[in-house]
């Protein structure tokens, strides 16, 4: 841009020029299918503007729902009917509406430790109380979940919802194993918990890499959030919801949707056209390579440059690696020292609903070129070694 | 469309083919500036796709905020700075977020009787309790508001918010007078009420027709909702919020916005381009004529065909007329009899938060051609005369 720098005209900044930023899990703008989206928008406006620019049906544009249920059904061997799905404005506003409609202030919501810090903020905006459950390299620990549920119950509290990011988790990158998914669904059934499955990184992996979704294992109690933000582009603000028909209907047949109709009809029409042309799956094959290269670069660089005692997760997809510092080394001080060397990382404390330990970082590799990942992690290694 | 009929691929239906529907306040799709929007989307995608398709700043795209504050400031002789504004996804999701962030379940919200029924549903989705205040041909009655506030207070309840549609109200079409606006703001100050001013029809009138906004009269306690839905097209899902900087910041710096960035960045960028080209004001001049013609046709037809004892409002803008039936004639039975003659009207009961009287209709004229308005109201007159 030739214009003068204006933060409100800029992206949610990855970092100032000259820095290497591992802060934000932004998709790489070079992967955005700009020309194809432009063509589809043009086509929709030429052919059916009076439909696409009008208030749309609350559940979303039917042909897009049909594409999604066929595609997701095929990938995961699921049979999905229209009443099980709706088009949304992405995972965040859907989680927001779920909280408004299906929870009450003061309700306990079980979350992973760590979990996505902005989801914690959203839950707290609804005056919900996030309660954390420990995780390890295989995801959230079922025995710990069971224990926390019993503890809440015996303390007179009732947990309402379980919010999980089971695939390539934000911030840890970890994927919940199939066995644990089964145990979690069994626990949710036993405790009458609603599961919210925030699954926006799944389709960035080849089909079959991620185990069956929690929705596939417990379709009667799971609301699964999907999004085009990582698959196409975040600025489109479009996603989908899969869930039990009665709850899906409760979510689209509410005041805000009755007032404003379906989410983003013009964009939904354009993405339907894009999908119907068969463009989505080849696009995904292509961008998978981009993020795989960055993930490999990140894991190789960590192996090469991290000092002894440092530990990190080894995700096989997604945008993030989670790093823990040796012994008493604090992440806040390290973040400050790395910043002086123009490397930006995000401290881990905000990702804990309770009792942060000051010992973690999140490293986002999605927005950084492989050679810059290498440079940045080398510098971070030097900072840690000097610490 | 040549496709088979599919309600989810259709608009939020105005009514089946062959009917004359006064049900929905839909803008006329022939007014949508399709080619210009298409050009602006194309331009944005050619020039700054990596910005417009990425997560955007939570407050919204700065150049659009700058256009809006200059334009609205000029029309209403207000000085607006960036911290007083944000870009939104339209008035409904903004009201939704206001309820989440600034109210608590059980809070009393004062509303007009009648008011927009879907807003009532939205408030109830948040477990808020709408309390109605009578209106007349000059809008909500300040003495009645004062009385209701005292009554709530002496009953141990505290009203939190006052939700008003002061210009060409939905459903009544009535505009609140300047004198009453001043009294309402004074009462809000006295009772520490937050005013939510849902003002999405104002710009459909020539500047100067509508009195000063509640925001202009009480900028420290008013959140004013604006929208492009009626000005450009609802399928864009874009609007704006004006309010005190601390509250505006609370609304954009929240979990759902931190997660998903600003509302609809691609569309916001395209509308900014549209506005910067100077296209908005000439477009408004043109569509004002369309809706004025329909309003005149509606008022003339009512004058010509309504039986004695029927009364109606005489709006000077907006999309709606509110009609009351003589004596004991019920609106539910009349709606059914009109439907048999292929004329669709919306009964008035859902527009009352409390104590509906079964005596009213809302007539939306925005989506109906003048000759069809004439035919439809003639048929409705016959139905009423036969009743």
């Amino acid at each position: 841009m030739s214009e003068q720098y204006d933060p409100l005209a800029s992206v949610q900044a990855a970092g100032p020029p000259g820095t290497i930023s591992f802060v934000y899990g932004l998709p790489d703008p070079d992967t955005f299918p700009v020309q194809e989206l432009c063509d589809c928008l043009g086509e929709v406006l030429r052919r059916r503007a009076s439909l696409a620019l009008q208030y749309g049906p609350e559940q979303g544009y039917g042909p897009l729902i049909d594409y999604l249920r066929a595609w997701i059904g095929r990938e995961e061997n699921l049979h999905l009917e229209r009443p099980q799905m709706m088009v949304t404005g992405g995972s965040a506003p859907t989680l927001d509406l779920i909280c408004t409609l299906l929870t009450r202030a003061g309700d306990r919501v079980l979350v992973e430790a760590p979990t996505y810090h902005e989801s914690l903020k959203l839950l707290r905006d609804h005056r919900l109380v996030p309660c954390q459950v420990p995780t390890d390299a295989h995801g959230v620990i079922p025995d710990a979940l069971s224990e926390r549920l019993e503890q809440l119950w015996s303390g007179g509290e009732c947990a309402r919802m379980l919010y999980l990011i089971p695939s390539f988790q934000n911030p840890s990158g970890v994927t919940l194993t199939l066995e644990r998914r089964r145990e979690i669904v069994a626990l949710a059934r036993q405790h009458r918990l609603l599961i919210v499955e925030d699954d926006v990184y799944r389709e960035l992996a080849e089909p079959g890499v991620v185990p069956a979704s929690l929705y596939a294992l417990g379709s009667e109690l799971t609301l699964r959030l999907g999004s085009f933000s990582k698959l196409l582009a975040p600025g489109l603000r479009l996603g989908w919801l899969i869930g039990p028909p009665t709850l899906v209907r409760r979510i689209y047949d509410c005041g805000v949707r009755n007032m404003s109709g379906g989410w983003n009809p013009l964009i939904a029409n354009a993405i339907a056209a894009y999908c119907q042309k068969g463009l989505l799956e080849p696009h995904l094959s292509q961008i998978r390579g981009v993020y795989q290269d960055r993930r490999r670069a990140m894991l190789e660089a960590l192996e090469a440059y991290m000092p002894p005692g440092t530990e990190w997760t080894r995700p096989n997809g997604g945008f993030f690696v989670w790093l823990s510092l040796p012994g008493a080394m604090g992440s806040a001080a390290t973040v400050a020292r790395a910043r002086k060397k123009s490397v930006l990382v995000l401290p881990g404390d905000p990702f804990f609903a309770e009792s942060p330990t000051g010992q973690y970082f999140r490293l986002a590799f999605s927005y950084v070129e492989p050679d810059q990942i290498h440079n940045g992690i080398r510098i971070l290694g030097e900072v840690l070694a000097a610490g």
Side-chain angles (χ1 to χ4, degrees), chain A residues 197-213:
Chain A
E197 179 176 33
D198 192 348
D199 212 15
V200 301
Y201 304 100
R202 165 184 279 269
E203 294 85 6
L204 290 175
E206 298 289 341
V209 169
V210 178
S213 66

Side-chain angles (χ1 to χ4, degrees), chain A residues 53 87 222 299 364:
Chain A
L53 287 173
V87 175
T222 305
L299 293 173

